[in-house]
Amino acid sequence: MRSLAEEARRAGRRLALVPTMGALHEGHLALVREARSRADHVTVSIFVNPTQFGPGEDYERYPRTLEADLEALRRVGGVDAVFAPTVEGLYPYGEAANATWVTVEGLTDGLCGRYRPGHFRGVTTVVARLFNVCRPHIACFGLKDAQQFFVLRRMARELLTGVELIGVPTVREADGLALSSRNAYLSPEERAQAPVLWKALQAAEAAIQRGELRPAAIVERMLQMLATAPLARPQYVELVDTETLQPVDRLEPGREVLAALAIYFGQTRLIDNVIVRIPSPTDR
Ligand code: AMP
């Protein structure tokens, strides 16, 4: 993979990387299209990264559908390389004996980081390795995983990787549910109620547009909406500043806020978010 990338670089091409864990859907394909529009050599990596799963999480049963993924990428077209390494390929001493980690402090403390200890360390470590092997100029990530995007952008800048991160808007089903490989775990009843994540986020956005500046009132509004779905069990529902990912006491007109939530349906954990610019009174 590295010699292929080096060769493309020597030929003066601009390289894009789209990291994925496979089980590809339209959300992933949106990243591929974005990459294609910004670069002239596109690599898609497919790797279910063991170090970002915690004990009791779904590493073993995570869907692995390589043949279908390759077919989806052939159909969408414009993909120059698919990099699907083995665990030993990315963890030469094995994942259990891995000694070298990349960690981003602060930004990983809250939101998903609070409930998935070690998750972002696994993500930053594997993405740093993918950058080292695939040698991209740009890398595309989904804003569906907003905290992951902000954490990785900070890592890419602070490690002086020279890789520019592009955040791609979330692709949704017609009823608002964000596409996710984990949606396949939902029962029909859970699937029917799952659009409540998007409804809660839209309620938050509407409240902010109406001029609500108290985070607690907006969170309360989201919890009310979530309570209309009896199978939904909130893990967190938060409003944080997009720079620091820290909770804010009061929304400040002109700044951006991230409304984010993680909701369990049975054993399945779904996340979603929206980024809202807080209007000044004169905007309304
Ligand atoms: P995953 O395979 O779940 O690790 O996701 C790989 C990449 O696809 C990540 O950058 C995700 O943020 C992105 N992604 C996943 N779902 C969506 C979606 N519905 N819309 C846009 N990007 C997505």
Side-chain angles (χ1 to χ4, degrees):
M1 180 66 230
R2 191 189 285 114
S3 38
L4 190 90
E6 294 291 359
E7 199 180 311
R9 278 192 166 237
R10 273 196 303 275
R13 294 168 83 182
R14 185 169 164 80
L15 279 65
L17 174 65
V18 178
T20 80
M21 298 205 299
L24 300 183
H25 52 60
E26 276 300 319
H28 299 114
L29 300 183
L31 303 187
V32 172
R33 292 190 188 98
E34 184 69 30
R36 227 171 35 187
S37 76
R38 291 173 179 266
D40 38 30
H41 184 282
V42 175
T43 298
V44 176
S45 65
I46 298 180
F47 180 64
V48 184
N49 175 34
T51 65
Q52 72 189 67
F53 289 80
E57 290 187 0
D58 55 348
Y59 175 64
E60 305 296 338
R61 67 181 184 121
Y62 196 85
R64 290 162 171 87
T65 59
L66 186 60
E67 281 311 313
D69 293 346
L70 295 175
E71 185 50 39
L73 293 174
R74 268 193 289 270
R75 267 202 311 276
V76 71
V79 175
D80 298 86
V82 176
F83 180 50
T86 59
V87 172
E88 295 69 36
L90 286 191
Y91 295 93
Y93 291 80
E95 43 135 342
N98 186 63
T100 306
W101 298 96
V102 176
T103 58
V104 172
E105 297 178 357
L107 294 181
T108 57
D109 290 346
L111 304 175
C112 291
R114 172 165 305 130
Y115 299 95
R116 301 186 72 189
H119 168 69
F120 286 113
R121 181 181 81 152
V123 171
T124 41
T125 296
V126 80
V127 171
R129 286 170 195 203
L130 291 171
F131 285 0
N132 284 335
V133 179
C134 301
R135 304 281 287 114
H137 297 93
I138 67 168
C140 297
F141 292 90
L143 292 174
K144 167 31 178 77
D145 302 284
Q147 185 176 20
Q148 167 173 281
F149 175 75
F150 293 122
V151 167
L152 288 171
R153 187 173 63 180
R154 184 71 175 256
M155 175 199 83
R157 287 179 180 162
E158 288 190 329
L159 288 183
L160 310 178
T161 61
V163 181
E164 182 193 350
L165 262 66
I166 311 292
V168 178
T170 303
V171 177
R172 300 177 181 284
E173 302 280 7
D175 60 11
L177 177 64
L179 298 193
S180 163
S181 310
R182 292 191 169 103
N183 293 349
Y185 300 152
L186 298 171
S187 71
E189 296 74 25
E190 291 165 347
R191 173 63 190 83
Q193 294 182 22
V196 76
L197 275 76
W198 177 230
K199 285 189 201 151
L201 292 166
Q202 282 184 305
E205 179 160 11
I208 295 168
Q209 300 301 356
R210 278 197 309 274
E212 179 59 76
L213 295 174
R214 296 166 304 161
I218 298 162
V219 167
E220 187 49 38
R221 183 75 199 87
M222 288 196 275
L223 289 171
Q224 279 168 4
M225 184 59 83
L226 291 163
T228 65
L231 297 176
R233 286 181 292 115
Q235 183 181 58
Y236 68 75
V237 177
E238 288 187 49
L239 284 194
V240 298
D241 184 83
T242 52
E243 290 286 312
T244 60
L245 301 189
Q246 294 297 319
V248 280
D249 290 337
R250 196 174 167 75
L251 302 190
E252 241 181 85
R255 288 187 72 97
E256 282 188 338
V257 72
L258 171 71
L261 36 75
I263 309 295
Y264 273 102
F265 282 90
Q267 298 302 303
T268 307
R269 182 177 176 276
L270 302 180
I271 60 169
D272 201 352
N273 70 82
V274 67
I275 296 172
V276 187
R277 196 183 150 274
I278 300 149
S280 336
T282 50
D283 297 342
R284 286 200 303 277

